[in-house]
Amino acid sequence: MRGLAEGRLPDERVQGLFGVLDRASSRRSLSADHTVIGIFGPTGSGKSSLINALSGTEVARVAARRPTTSKPLAVVWGAEGSGPLLDWLEVDERHEMPADAALLGSDTGGLILLDLPDFDSTAAAHRTIVERMSGQVDVLLWVVDPQKYADAALHHDFLAPLASHGAVTLVALNQADRLSGRQQEQVTASLSGILAEEGLRGVRVFPVSARTRDGLEDLAGAIRQIAGRKQAANARLAADVAAASTQLAPFAGPEDLPIPGKAAQSDLSARLAAAAGVDAVVDAVVRSYRRDAHAATGWPVTRWLGSFRSDPLRRLNLRRSDVDAALRRTSMPSGAPAQRARVDQALRTFADTAAGSSVEPWRSAIRSAARGTVPTLLDGLDQALAGTNLDTGRRSWWWPLVGLLQWLALAALVIGLGWLGVMAAMGFLQFNVPDAPSVEGFPVPTLLIAGGVAAGILLAVLASVIARFAAKARGRKARRRLRAACAKVAETVVAQPVTDEIRRYNDFRGALAAAARTK
């Protein structure tokens, strides 16, 4: 989950998650046979005296000679293997208990009680220790007294943030001997109610007295039971991960996102193709084909006029063979405001559809994945247009045939004109001019002239009609190829990054759901 969240979620949330994962990893590498119970409480609650009563020693008194405990003290049952764990907890003062120690002596091997500084101490270092330990120990035993059991600092700063840790939380109402039976019931019920409001419903409150030893057996029994199961460390780590997942839950939408399908990608590529100028290129292909067809099949007398019209494809720099296709670019105005606006609109539509039910910051991440490479996209689209094979150098099979017929028609015209010219010259020079042969009363030279002109014009009109239909067919073929080229760019530059981001989001939701199931 760490790698999935990093760079997407707010740093403070991610760092908190990293801290939980790091602590979990460190704790799992240490003794699984020991259960660490941290004893927390405010000044005067009697933490040290409670430890002494549970252990049957005065060991905690050494660390409590000053108004507050200044350093953590470890009381250890079954010291073997506990060293690295206590080193990780940064606890230097350690006291090993005999196997037959009071209350917790029997079947309590692998137990560590930590006497900690007061969380409300005026010394900032003391609170720092308490905050660190509250995130490291396996079980949290909170010791309160009848006067401070509702202390705001305790509940707001510690208990409420650890509401998901009810399975590893114990509460001891110390100095219960100061209360009458009725008062003790009322205070215990009030404290249980406060805990329930903070999410710690079901956490048992143990009324005890370290001075009179009343209620200690019940508390000791609960501690023995927890230590005997040897599951507290895993339960604590599961609660930590669950709490972290709860904090991250707002960053996961209600459902996984589908990968953009063919319809969405087709719509994207069509929009990008239009923005890239595919229509302009197709129009140039059509007009260029008709220009070339006229040059090859038009009436030879007038076809030369077409040479004065520039080639539409050459104007777009799309009819060059002297430049490598990978380096070729069109002469269309790439990056113009109008084009950028159309590209932005296409990317926005695709990204919004792909983002679906996702929430921030993932929605923005998906949008950025789609729109973060606009310059690369524009260049890729332009290169796709320039590199597409438009069949610009291929001549249609019917061009030579019509061209040959045009030259035959022109030859008939020239022969007829020449024939009549010779006859006119002979008459002008007073030669005897023979009669020209005729067909159905029409002189052959005249028929050759009329036939040549008519055939040339008819062939030119017919070729123009054929060229119009053939040009449209070539334009449709060019459009398919151009759109395919644009679709490939759209998939590589836009769709794939968006797909990767969606998969990352779905993986994050999966990891979060798995973490939530550890509650």
Side-chain angles (χ1 to χ4, degrees):
M1 190 187 299
R2 172 187 294 196
L4 298 172
E6 193 170 21
R8 299 296 182 274
L9 273 57
D11 289 342
E12 62 274 11
R13 298 292 184 93
V14 174
Q15 292 304 322
L17 172 64
F18 290 177
V20 169
L21 296 177
D22 289 340
R23 288 196 302 271
S25 176
S26 299
R27 180 63 183 93
R28 287 195 176 98
S29 68
L30 299 169
S31 174
D33 294 327
H34 286 83
T35 300
V36 182
I37 300 180
I39 301 181
F40 303 84
T43 303
S45 60
K47 301 186 305 299
S48 299
S49 59
L50 184 60
I51 283 186
N52 289 338
L54 290 171
S55 63
T57 68
E58 297 296 321
V59 65
R61 186 169 297 172
V62 176
R65 287 176 181 172
R66 291 182 288 178
T68 59
T69 302
S70 60
K71 294 182 180 180
L73 167 68
V75 182
V76 185
W77 282 262
E80 184 177 357
S82 65
L85 176 57
L86 290 171
D87 290 340
W88 176 67
L89 292 168
E90 300 179 24
V91 178
D92 297 326
E93 295 189 39
R94 309 168 187 182
H95 183 83
E96 184 176 354
M97 296 296 296
D100 58 351
L103 292 178
L104 298 177
S106 58
D107 300 327
T108 322
L111 172 65
I112 301 175
L113 293 183
L114 293 183
D115 185 23
L116 300 172
D118 303 326
F119 68 77
D120 58 353
S121 171
T122 56
H126 294 176
R127 185 178 177 89
T128 300
I129 292 174
V130 172
E131 290 176 346
R132 177 174 61 83
M133 286 295 187
S134 67
Q136 290 182 288
V137 299
D138 303 328
V139 179
L140 303 103
L141 172 55
W142 297 95
V143 181
V144 297
D145 60 62
Q147 287 75 37
K148 295 184 178 180
Y149 73 88
D151 182 75
L154 167 65
H155 291 274
H156 295 166
D157 296 348
F158 293 97
L159 291 177
L162 294 170
S164 61
H165 293 60
V168 291
T169 299
L170 299 172
V171 177
L173 177 63
N174 197 17
Q175 304 173 19
D177 57 303
R178 297 181 180 180
L179 304 172
S180 65
R182 177 63 177 168
Q183 290 174 332
Q184 187 178 121
E185 292 178 2
Q186 292 176 340
V187 172
T188 301
S190 175
L191 179 54
S192 296
I194 295 174
L195 294 174
E197 291 176 358
E198 292 168 344
L200 292 167
R201 185 175 289 103
V203 172
R204 185 178 175 185
V205 177
F206 294 89
V208 299
S209 172
R211 186 177 64 84
T212 66
R213 306 179 68 81
D214 290 340
L216 286 183
E217 182 56 47
D218 288 343
L219 178 59
I223 293 175
R224 285 196 299 268
Q225 188 178 36
I226 290 173
R229 290 175 181 169
K230 301 188 184 302
Q231 294 297 318
N234 289 334
R236 169 60 198 264
L237 297 178
D240 285 344
V241 174
S245 68
T246 299
Q247 293 181 2
L248 296 177
F251 300 105
E255 58 187 359
D256 283 354
L257 295 179
I259 302 300
K262 290 184 178 180
Q265 293 195 40
S266 177
D267 179 69
L268 171 66
S269 61
R271 288 171 178 266
L272 291 179
V278 165
D279 290 342
V281 175
V282 170
D283 181 66
V285 169
V286 170
R287 290 189 291 115
S288 182
Y289 180 90
R290 293 180 62 183
R291 175 184 179 276
D292 292 345
H294 177 74
T297 64
W299 194 29
V301 176
T302 59
R303 71 170 60 171
W304 60 274
L305 295 173
S307 63
F308 292 102
R309 293 182 297 174
S310 61
D311 185 351
L313 286 174
R314 289 191 183 278
R315 286 205 305 267
L316 295 178
N317 201 35
L318 292 175
R319 206 167 191 176
R320 295 184 61 180
S321 59
D322 58 331
V323 179
D324 187 271
L327 303 177
R328 197 179 304 158
R329 297 294 185 273
T330 73
S331 60
M332 291 189 293
S334 178
Q339 184 190 37
R340 272 188 171 271
R342 298 182 71 178
V343 168
D344 285 341
Q345 180 62 38
L347 297 180
R348 188 181 303 109
T349 300
F350 179 75
D352 288 344
T353 301
S357 62
S358 64
V359 296
E360 294 294 346
W362 296 100
R363 177 174 289 273
S364 294
I366 292 172
R367 286 174 173 171
S368 296
R371 301 174 62 188
T373 55
V374 171
T376 302
L377 176 61
L378 291 174
D379 185 68
L381 291 172
D382 190 73
Q383 185 177 351
L385 299 187
T388 299
N389 180 13
L390 301 176
D391 288 338
T392 55
R394 186 167 63 85
R395 296 169 60 86
S396 294
W397 63 270
W398 57 275
W399 289 2
L401 176 61
V402 175
L404 175 61
L405 294 176
Q406 283 284 28
W407 284 110
L408 291 176
L410 181 62
L413 171 62
V414 171
I415 291 172
L417 289 173
W419 193 336
L420 291 179
V422 170
M423 292 177 66
M426 290 177 66
F428 178 78
L429 297 174
Q430 301 298 311
F431 286 108
N432 185 21
V433 180
D435 293 334
S438 62
V439 176
E440 298 292 333
F442 294 98
V444 170
T446 304
L447 289 176
L448 287 174
I449 295 172
V453 172
I457 294 175
L458 180 62
L459 286 171
V461 172
L462 180 62
S464 178
V465 173
I466 295 174
R468 181 177 286 109
F469 286 103
K472 290 182 177 179
R474 182 164 290 190
R476 288 192 294 270
K477 186 176 182 180
R479 187 184 298 278
R480 287 195 298 270
R481 290 181 177 180
L482 290 167
R483 283 189 170 180
C486 290
K488 188 174 182 180
V489 174
E491 180 182 1
T492 303
V493 180
V494 181
Q496 189 57 53
V498 168
T499 297
D500 293 343
E501 195 64 38
I502 289 176
R503 285 178 176 153
R504 181 172 182 168
Y505 169 75
N506 291 341
D507 290 345
F508 170 78
R509 291 192 73 260
L512 195 60
R517 287 194 293 269
T518 64
K519 291 182 180 180

